[in-house]
């Protein structure tokens, strides 16, 4: 069953339609990308309402490379504070155990990184296409928290699995967890193996037109190309 949240911040009909576009396995690459961008804008509106006092130069946007050009770009646009500091990561996934129910225990080592300097991080915004397990976000946060020392941490995704938040909270000490604030539009409680149902309609890389894991790690987002 799917539960909707945070619809009061934006365009409810647009959010629901975009979520349906992601879940539909027949959606084209361009439609899929645009749905993520639109949902990113709507998530950015949440930031604009909740973090009025955060300036662009004190806000860092964090994402995986595959989420940069559509979802994260939309969040930055919807936040409306201008260009934010960025940390973008190219990661792989390694399965270290398969449970009896078919779910997988994974790690997500970082292969490459683009990290901008930030002197005073009032807000760290972590954006992901879907939060199911904690491995990707845990790896990103573990790398960044000690470097940038954020005052607040907003963790955002269009869709989260019901256990996504407790799984991530379990990975950090209390003084870090107190900084976490989670935002999603849909909470799903069904999973077949590692795929959340309806989730985002399967594996995000090929649906975005980026190929498999190896191919997507060769893609350089426009968000990065504009800065180098």
């Amino acid at each position: 069953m799917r539960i909707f949240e945070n619809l009061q911040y934006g365009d409810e009909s647009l959010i629901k339609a975009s979520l349906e576009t992601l879940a539909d396995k027949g959606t084209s690459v361009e439609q899929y990308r645009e749905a993520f961008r639109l949902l990113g804008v709507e998530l950015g509106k949440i930031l604009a309402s909740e973090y009025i006092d955060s300036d662009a130069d004190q806000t860092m946007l964090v994402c995986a490379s595959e989420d940069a050009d559509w979802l994260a770009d939309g969040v930055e646009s919807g936040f409306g504070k201008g260009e934010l500091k960025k940390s973008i990561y190219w990661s792989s996934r390694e399965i270290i155990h398969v449970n009896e129910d078919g779910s997988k225990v994974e790690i997500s080592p970082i292969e490459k990184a683009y990290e901008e300097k930030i002197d005073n991080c009032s807000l760290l915004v972590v954006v992901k296409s879907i939060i199911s397990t904690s491995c990707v976000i845990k790896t990103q946060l573990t790398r960044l928290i000690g470097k940038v020392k954020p005052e607040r941490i907003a963790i955002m995704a269009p869709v989260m699995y019901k256990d996504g938040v407790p799984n991530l909270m379990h990975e950090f000490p209390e003084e870090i967890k107190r900084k976490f604030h989670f935002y999603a539009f849909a909470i799903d409680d069904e999973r077949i193996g590692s795929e959340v149902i309806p989730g985002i309609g399967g594996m995000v890389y090929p649906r975005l037109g980026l190929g498999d894991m190896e191919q997507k790690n060769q893609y350089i987002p426009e968000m990065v190309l504009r800065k180098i």
Side-chain angles (χ1 to χ4, degrees):
M1 185 177 72
R2 167 164 281 184
I3 297 173
F4 293 103
E5 294 185 343
N6 297 308
L7 301 182
Q8 73 276 14
Y9 287 98
D11 186 330
E12 179 175 343
S13 60
L14 176 64
I15 293 168
K16 288 184 174 180
S18 298
L19 290 169
E20 289 178 5
T21 297
L22 295 183
D24 183 354
K25 293 182 183 293
T27 297
S28 71
V29 166
E30 289 305 317
Q31 290 172 322
Y32 197 72
R33 291 176 174 184
E34 180 63 8
F36 267 128
R37 191 191 68 79
L38 291 172
L39 287 166
V41 171
E42 298 301 313
L43 287 170
K45 292 177 182 178
I46 298 178
L47 292 178
S49 297
E50 295 288 295
Y51 302 96
I52 297 172
D53 60 333
S54 292
D55 296 327
D57 62 352
Q58 295 181 336
T59 303
M60 175 163 277
L61 182 63
V62 183
C63 66
S65 59
E66 63 271 18
D67 292 326
D69 281 343
W70 302 287
L71 181 60
D73 188 67
V75 169
E76 184 176 54
S77 176
F79 191 25
K81 297 293 182 95
E83 190 166 321
L84 308 177
K85 301 293 187 179
K86 311 285 195 321
S87 285
I88 300 172
Y89 298 106
W90 292 255
S91 301
S92 60
R93 281 179 176 261
E94 299 176 15
I95 299 168
I96 59 174
H97 181 72
V98 179
N99 297 315
E100 291 183 0
D101 64 358
S103 62
K104 301 170 185 176
V105 179
E106 299 176 310
I107 59 174
S108 182
I110 291 171
E111 305 290 338
K112 295 182 289 188
Y114 171 81
E115 296 174 333
E116 295 182 347
K117 188 177 185 299
I118 186 168
D119 294 321
N120 180 18
C121 186
S122 170
L123 176 62
L124 191 68
V125 181
V126 185
V127 178
K128 195 169 185 300
S129 54
I130 184 169
I131 297 176
S132 175
T133 63
S134 62
C135 64
V136 173
I137 292 179
K138 175 193 173 184
T139 302
Q140 294 174 350
L141 285 175
T142 300
R143 180 182 175 111
L144 271 176
I145 285 173
K147 289 183 177 183
V148 305
K149 298 177 174 58
E151 296 175 14
R152 297 167 292 181
I153 302 171
I155 300 171
M156 319 190 83
V159 181
M160 292 187 187
Y161 181 58
K162 66 178 181 65
D163 292 336
V165 170
N167 285 345
L168 188 61
M169 295 285 278
H170 178 72
E171 301 285 353
F172 291 92
E174 191 61 37
E175 63 266 26
I176 300 301
K177 289 190 288 189
R178 284 197 293 265
K179 300 181 179 186
F180 287 173
H181 303 273
F182 293 89
Y183 305 97
F185 292 129
I187 309 296
D188 292 338
D189 66 358
E190 183 180 355
R191 193 163 64 185
I192 299 177
S194 295
E195 182 179 346
V196 177
I197 306 299
I200 56 172
M203 181 67 73
V204 69
Y205 322 139
R207 298 217 59 197
L208 284 168
L210 302 179
D212 60 19
M213 187 179 302
E214 182 177 350
Q215 291 169 321
K216 69 94 178 173
N217 275 342
Q218 297 172 14
Y219 173 74
I220 302 177
E222 289 295 325
M223 186 178 280
V224 174
L225 290 174
R226 290 195 297 265
K227 305 299 286 289
I228 60 176

